[in-house]
PDB file of all heavy atoms in Angstrom:
ATOM      1  N   ALA E 108      89.308 107.795  89.554  1.00 93.00           N
ATOM      2  CA  ALA E 108      88.654 108.655  90.541  1.00 93.00           C
ATOM      3  C   ALA E 108      87.394 109.298  89.971  1.00 93.00           C
ATOM      4  O   ALA E 108      86.335 109.330  90.624  1.00 93.00           O
ATOM      5  CB  ALA E 108      89.630 109.727  91.028  1.00 93.00           C
ATOM      6  N   TYR E 144     105.743  97.979  82.656  1.00 88.00           N
ATOM      7  CA  TYR E 144     106.659  98.768  83.491  1.00 88.00           C
ATOM      8  C   TYR E 144     107.451  97.860  84.434  1.00 88.00           C
ATOM      9  O   TYR E 144     108.675  97.976  84.559  1.00 88.00           O
ATOM     10  CB  TYR E 144     105.875  99.810  84.279  1.00 88.00           C
ATOM     11  CG  TYR E 144     106.701 100.550  85.305  1.00 88.00           C
ATOM     12  CD1 TYR E 144     107.466 101.656  84.958  1.00 88.00           C
ATOM     13  CD2 TYR E 144     106.721 100.139  86.644  1.00 88.00           C
ATOM     14  CE1 TYR E 144     108.221 102.334  85.897  1.00 88.00           C
ATOM     15  CE2 TYR E 144     107.474 100.805  87.592  1.00 88.00           C
ATOM     16  CZ  TYR E 144     108.222 101.904  87.209  1.00 88.00           C
ATOM     17  OH  TYR E 144     108.978 102.573  88.156  1.00 88.00           O
ATOM     18  N   SER E 323      84.520  84.793 100.057  1.00 82.00           N
ATOM     19  CA  SER E 323      85.327  83.587 100.295  1.00 82.00           C
ATOM     20  C   SER E 323      86.083  83.171  99.039  1.00 82.00           C
ATOM     21  O   SER E 323      87.236  82.731  99.112  1.00 82.00           O
ATOM     22  CB  SER E 323      84.441  82.442 100.800  1.00 82.00           C
ATOM     23  OG  SER E 323      83.578  81.966  99.781  1.00 82.00           O
ATOM     24  N   THR E 384      76.439  71.861  97.639  1.00 83.00           N
ATOM     25  CA  THR E 384      77.760  71.767  98.259  1.00 83.00           C
ATOM     26  C   THR E 384      78.833  71.484  97.215  1.00 83.00           C
ATOM     27  O   THR E 384      79.907  72.092  97.222  1.00 83.00           O
ATOM     28  CB  THR E 384      77.769  70.660  99.334  1.00 83.00           C
ATOM     29  OG1 THR E 384      76.795  70.961 100.332  1.00 83.00           O
ATOM     30  CG2 THR E 384      79.141  70.538  99.972  1.00 83.00           C
ATOM     31  N   ALA E 421     102.377  95.460  71.271  1.00 84.00           N
ATOM     32  CA  ALA E 421     101.843  94.100  71.202  1.00 84.00           C
ATOM     33  C   ALA E 421     101.105  93.737  72.483  1.00 84.00           C
ATOM     34  O   ALA E 421     100.057  93.072  72.448  1.00 84.00           O
ATOM     35  CB  ALA E 421     102.976  93.100  70.948  1.00 84.00           C
TER      36      ALA E 421
END
Side-chain angles (χ1 to χ4, degrees):
Y144 172 84
S323 70
T384 300

